[in-house]
Amino acid sequence: MSTFAWGGATGVGSMPGGDARETARTVTGTFEGPAGSAGAGHGMPYLAELPARGPGADMIGRTAGLLVEVYARVEPSGWRIGDRPGRDTRRAASWLGEDLDALEEFTQGYEGPLKVQAVGPWTLAAALELRNGEAALSDPGACRDLAGSLAEGLRAHLADVARRVPGAQLVLQLDEPSLTAVLRGRIRTASQYRTHRAVDRQLVESALRDVLAVHEGPVAVHSCAPDVPFALLRRAGADAVSFDFALLTERDDEVIGEAVEAGTKLFAGVVPGTAGPLSDPAGSVMGVRTLWRRLGLDPGTLAESVTITPSCGLAGASPAYARAALAHCVRAARSLADNPE
């Protein structure tokens, strides 16, 4: 997907507040560029999530609402798989419909990249409980069923977005913040006294590959946790990897260099996700330039290899800061393109 025009900047997914129209206006206005433009020079708008509205608008609830023939409801301990669709499933569908209506309204005539996020199969398996209260992760059969249901639901969801925004080149992003913990056996049991066994890496890779394969266009995987498994995600078919740049260490240099040379796009989360002073745009991407020099990569490839994002979702920020952070991502991306050295 090296020839795909990803755009220089985008957001991760979540936004503060509960106003779908205002959020869609902000996201499209920041990243689309002038009305009718292709958007690639500015960035990549996306279908935002607004978890402050409550259960069903959060990332787990929204993705649970997309599942086919698997239903979930809210319990005091979290989302639990149930026998039939209920109030929580209907609420998730309603919130998503509201967000899609708003996105459709503000993307009339838009042509360019458009990102859609959903929770990936392993973070979903770590978050959804079975009837006994344990995570679905504890049951290999439940993990297989969840991945299959998610794939079917995403296929229908992507088709709906494509119908609503026919000029869009859709990008599917799977959010997998729990992936490293799943691989290392760090997901706690319901009692909190033990942890679930680490899942075999080949099994993890296979399920990710199957879910990513539902989309014929570009696919990305996001994790704002430390030690993102870049090589595994590349093998699973990810065209881009989204991560918190501040969590990188020099241990990651080799896998990052291999990913860039293989054509993998890096979504570098360099803008803080919560309120604080924003540095000048050039300062925000200084670390990216330093990484490129350390790896001995051609500075001329920076703009095509890197998309600038916040470090994680912006749900915990104020609306004013969220707007400022997204606009800052666009300016930082321009700085990187104009002065790669």
Side-chain angles (χ1 to χ4, degrees):
M1 290 293 169
S2 58
T3 59
F4 180 76
W6 297 85
T10 191
V12 172
S14 67
M15 291 285 284
D19 189 328
R21 290 187 74 255
E22 184 57 36
T23 300
R25 187 201 310 271
T26 295
V27 170
T28 56
T30 302
F31 294 120
E32 272 189 32
S37 74
H42 290 261
M44 178 164 49
Y46 57 96
L47 176 63
E49 299 142 6
L50 298 173
R53 294 178 300 195
D58 60 298
M59 65 184 230
I60 297 297
R62 166 168 286 189
T63 301
L66 294 175
L67 297 175
V68 174
E69 295 183 359
V70 174
Y71 311 107
R73 64 179 186 272
V74 177
E75 297 286 346
S77 54
W79 284 89
R80 181 171 295 184
I81 295 171
D83 296 321
R84 61 183 65 85
R87 178 184 60 187
D88 298 320
T89 306
R90 290 191 294 273
R91 185 189 292 122
S94 176
W95 290 136
L96 177 58
E98 186 177 302
D99 294 336
L100 285 166
D101 289 345
L103 182 73
E104 184 177 1
E105 178 182 350
F106 289 101
T107 51
Q108 294 296 311
Y110 174 70
E111 295 182 355
L114 177 67
K115 184 162 65 73
V116 177
Q117 306 83 222
V119 175
W122 295 106
T123 296
L124 198 62
L128 287 183
E129 299 174 357
L130 300 174
R131 291 172 182 81
N132 63 4
E134 289 294 351
L137 189 67
S138 64
D139 182 336
C143 290
R144 282 194 301 274
D145 291 346
L146 265 184
S149 174
L150 176 62
E152 282 190 60
L154 283 175
R155 195 174 284 115
H157 180 44
L158 289 163
D160 185 22
V161 179
R163 179 182 58 77
R164 289 169 175 265
V165 193
Q169 298 163 318
L170 294 184
V171 174
L172 171 63
Q173 174 183 301
L174 293 184
D175 292 323
E176 281 284 13
S178 299
L179 183 59
T180 300
V182 167
L183 288 165
R184 296 186 176 179
R186 293 178 179 168
I187 301 296
R188 292 200 170 275
T189 59
S191 70
Q192 299 293 307
Y193 294 125
R194 295 185 299 109
T195 56
H196 292 289
R197 184 178 304 171
V199 181
D200 180 79
R201 295 180 78 86
Q202 289 186 322
L203 190 60
V204 168
E205 184 181 321
S206 174
L208 279 169
R209 184 181 297 111
D210 289 347
V211 176
L212 289 170
V214 305
H215 184 44
E216 294 179 359
V219 290
V221 178
H222 166 75
S223 174
C224 49
D227 300 320
V228 176
F230 286 90
L232 183 152
L233 296 177
R234 283 176 49 220
R235 291 194 303 271
D239 300 301
V241 180
S242 172
F243 56 97
D244 181 345
F245 191 85
L247 298 179
L248 287 186
T249 68
E250 292 196 17
R251 288 198 315 269
D252 300 304
D253 280 7
E254 185 177 346
V255 290
I256 295 256
E258 289 172 355
V260 171
E261 289 175 349
T264 303
K265 184 80 170 182
L266 303 182
F267 285 14
V270 299
V271 177
T274 51
L278 293 169
S279 70
D280 66 289
S284 293
V285 291
M286 188 183 303
V288 181
R289 293 191 182 97
T290 301
L291 172 66
W292 238 245
R293 285 196 296 273
R294 198 164 69 230
L295 295 176
L297 296 169
D298 176 7
T301 65
L302 259 174
E304 68 187 47
S305 299
V306 176
T307 290
I308 299 301
T309 75
S311 58
C312 205
L314 293 168
S318 69
Y321 178 80
R323 289 192 297 271
L326 295 184
H328 191 83
C329 288
V330 173
R331 291 193 293 271
R334 285 186 186 136
S335 171
L336 202 60
D338 293 343
N339 300 294
E341 301 281 1

